[in-house]
Amino acid sequence: MSSTTVGRGRWTAGIAAALMALASGITWVAPGNASADPLCALQSGSAGSSYACAAAGDLLDVRIGDVLATQPSLGYDEIYYKLGRYTLGKDEINSKFNDWCESNGQLAVVSAKPDARLSDSSSFQCKLAVGQETPESIAAMKTVVIGPGGKPYLTDGHHTLTSYLETPDGGADLHVRLKVLGNLSTLSDADFWTQMKAKGWVWLKDVSGNPVAVDQLPKSLGLSNFSDDKYRSMMYFARDIGYHVGDLPFEEFFWGDWMRKGNIGGDWNRSDFTAYLAALKTVTKAQTALAPDAIVAEGKTAKELDQLSAWNGGKAEDKGEFAKISQPYAADKPGKVGYAVEYRIRNGR
């Protein structure tokens, strides 16, 4: 019997399990693919425990309100950029649908109804249907680790999922799929966190660079549950100007540590577009000026943290990524900083 046949058989059993669960009032959460055993979802009546079914590599459907954090802070300005673009955007199709399709392993949005809402996935269409994922589409997905009790701990995507939670047509009940990095649900709490630290799947520093205990991490997503790290915000905007994002978890936080300790960029006015852009230029120029073997933070070198060999990818200031991000909100195609500043001002943040 082929593995495909076995997978179909297990999935058929999963459908039957789902029907049984519905009949008995037990919450059932579908596993991300046929390799996971759906029957394990029946081990508990709580939604959180049902995530214990997921195996590494699965694409797991989660309720955003169930997801737990592995970092104590967010770059608020990254959230403001996303919320600004979602609520004040000038895109032909609202970028929130494109972001959600990408997060869900479906590449990008192709169409949306005039009254489309994130909370109604039938109101917009993604490029790929569920079940037609490709290595490219899966690579763009956010990641989760299953901890004790089947609890899902987000290891990448805190800003993205928080933006979905905070946008008017999103919220804690919105669902999105996450790629499972590992299932550590059988470990004790102490052993779980030991493994998370060893694998670099948790960031335990506050916005001042001081240690944070795991029991001090936010118990749920939502902007108000996190501290505001302006250095992490700056590093979001610095992408593809001073460095590019690689595979190292929490890469922006390492660079943020470097900024904070060296007071790189000074204390810029985050409600002033011109001042923000000037600080970004200063910071990214300093990034690319570092020797590749220079220690940035926690023993990581500039090269290990994906420093660009030339500022702005070797392009002039009016070209490339810096030119894009330099567009103010008044432009036809505003840049990220422009959206972030406009949202901050309009909402009195």
Side-chain angles (χ1 to χ4, degrees):
M1 184 179 296
S2 70
S3 60
T4 301
T5 302
V6 171
R8 288 173 179 166
R10 289 166 64 118
W11 192 249
T12 300
I15 293 173
L19 294 174
M20 290 168 56
L22 288 172
S24 60
I26 296 174
T27 301
W28 184 80
V29 177
N33 61 41
S35 68
D37 186 352
L39 293 176
C40 73
L42 298 179
Q43 65 182 320
S44 171
S46 68
S49 295
S50 64
Y51 297 123
C53 301
D58 282 353
L59 309 183
L60 181 68
D61 181 279
V62 302
R63 174 183 173 272
I64 290 178
D66 291 339
V67 177
L68 300 176
T70 56
Q71 62 190 55
S73 58
L74 293 171
Y76 275 29
D77 291 342
E78 178 178 343
I79 305 292
Y80 293 165
Y81 152 64
K82 292 177 184 291
L83 293 179
R85 195 163 183 178
Y86 295 170
T87 59
L88 308 170
K90 302 182 179 183
D91 303 294
E92 184 176 348
I93 299 176
N94 194 305
S95 67
K96 63 188 173 185
F97 301 118
N98 196 73
D99 289 352
W100 188 91
C101 288
E102 181 181 75
S103 300
N104 212 50
Q106 298 177 263
L107 280 183
V109 70
V110 293
S111 65
K113 297 177 182 178
D115 59 348
R117 297 177 57 83
L118 275 180
S119 55
D120 179 9
S121 59
S122 67
S123 65
F124 57 95
Q125 182 181 357
C126 301
K127 188 172 184 178
L128 295 180
V130 171
Q132 296 181 349
E133 297 81 10
T134 65
E136 177 191 2
S137 70
I138 291 172
M141 296 177 72
K142 306 307 179 183
T143 55
V144 68
V145 171
I146 309 303
K151 295 176 182 178
Y153 287 84
L154 193 64
T155 54
D156 177 44
H158 291 75
H159 293 78
T160 297
L161 268 63
T162 296
S163 298
Y164 299 156
L165 189 151
E166 296 288 348
T167 202
D169 57 338
D173 288 330
L174 187 70
H175 281 242
V176 69
R177 293 188 303 166
L178 302 172
K179 180 172 57 179
V180 179
L181 287 183
N183 189 323
L184 307 177
S185 61
T186 61
L187 298 180
S188 67
D189 284 343
D191 288 343
F192 168 72
W193 287 114
T194 296
Q195 284 294 310
M196 292 290 283
K197 293 173 187 176
K199 293 179 179 293
W201 287 346
V202 61
W203 180 260
L204 294 173
K205 283 188 177 183
D206 66 16
V207 296
S208 298
N210 299 314
V212 170
V214 294
D215 60 2
Q216 294 176 304
L217 291 171
K219 301 301 185 287
S220 63
L221 299 185
L223 202 58
S224 64
N225 296 321
F226 293 82
S227 299
D228 178 16
D229 189 336
K230 66 178 183 179
Y231 304 108
R232 172 60 178 76
S233 289
M234 183 64 82
M235 282 303 126
Y236 174 69
F237 300 132
R239 292 178 178 184
D240 300 318
I241 303 173
Y243 78 110
H244 68 86
V245 177
D247 296 327
L248 184 70
F250 306 106
E251 193 164 24
E252 297 93 337
F253 281 106
F254 285 105
W255 279 114
D257 245 9
W258 164 77
M259 268 193 73
R260 178 173 51 247
K261 290 175 181 176
N263 193 32
I264 311 297
D267 188 17
W268 66 99
N269 184 346
R270 297 161 73 189
S271 296
D272 184 309
F273 174 75
T274 301
Y276 214 132
L277 204 62
L280 175 63
K281 183 177 178 180
T282 297
V283 169
T284 51
K285 288 275 190 178
Q287 274 185 296
T288 54
L290 289 171
D293 61 354
I295 300 299
V296 173
E298 301 293 318
K300 305 292 184 185
T301 66
K303 182 178 181 179
E304 288 175 312
L305 293 172
D306 297 293
Q307 170 200 44
L308 291 183
S309 59
W311 183 78
N312 197 31
K315 297 177 181 177
E317 188 171 320
D318 61 348
K319 304 291 183 183
E321 192 63 26
F322 193 79
K324 292 179 185 177
I325 209 165
S326 297
Q327 299 303 304
Y329 179 72
D332 291 338
K333 294 184 177 180
K336 294 175 181 177
V337 173
Y339 272 124
V341 171
E342 187 71 16
Y343 183 85
R344 177 184 281 277
I345 292 172
R346 290 200 190 194
N347 290 274
R349 301 300 180 100

